[in-house]
Amino acid sequence: AKNQECPERLKQLGTALRLYADSWDGFLPPAERWMTAIKDRVQKDEWLHCPEVARRDPGSYGYAMNRELSGKALSSISDKASTPLIYDSTATGPDAHDAVQSLPKPGQHMGRNNVLMADGEVRSEAPR
């Protein structure tokens, strides 16, 4: 049960991103301001922070958006089940984004990283 907090937060962020897309004709926010864009759709500010990162460094975030999906229509993502959207990241500032290169090694949560896929599922994966 120790690793439930982070996946739950990622699910909330996924919901906020879908709500954002619903009001922008199905398009995701630009990666360089994804957190800023969904902030009003996230009920609790702490959901924007990975709990592991926040414990070590209060005020840090620890989540990044896949920059390949910046401003893309959700409907244009061909393989949503295997496309990372938001994930644990070594980048700890707000609105972090990259091409899924900042996954922590070793993983943030007992050696694994949590990844929200574009289909809304959260996976716990060992770093490659």
Side-chain angles (χ1 to χ4, degrees), residues 56-111:
R56 285 194 312 267
D57 187 6
S60 290
Y61 293 87
Y63 291 135
M65 178 179 174
N66 180 352
R67 78 161 173 243
E68 306 297 318
L69 302 182
S70 179
K72 269 198 161 180
L74 275 171
S75 61
S76 74
I77 303 167
S78 55
D79 189 3
K80 291 178 183 67
S82 65
T83 304
L85 177 53
I86 305 290
Y87 44 90
D88 282 328
S89 174
T90 56
T92 58
D95 295 313
H97 60 283
D98 57 45
V100 200
Q101 298 150 309
S102 62
L103 283 163
K105 292 175 187 163
Q108 199 99 280
H109 306 277
M110 298 175 286

Side-chain angles (χ1 to χ4, degrees), residues 7-38:
E8 287 305 316
R9 290 180 184 193
L10 284 170
K11 283 181 186 170
Q12 293 297 331
L13 296 180
T15 299
L17 283 162
R18 277 190 303 284
L19 290 170
Y20 175 94
D22 286 349
S23 46
W24 288 93
D25 293 327
F27 289 88
L28 290 166
E32 56 277 359
R33 56 180 199 81
W34 72 271
M35 275 188 181
T36 308
I38 67 168

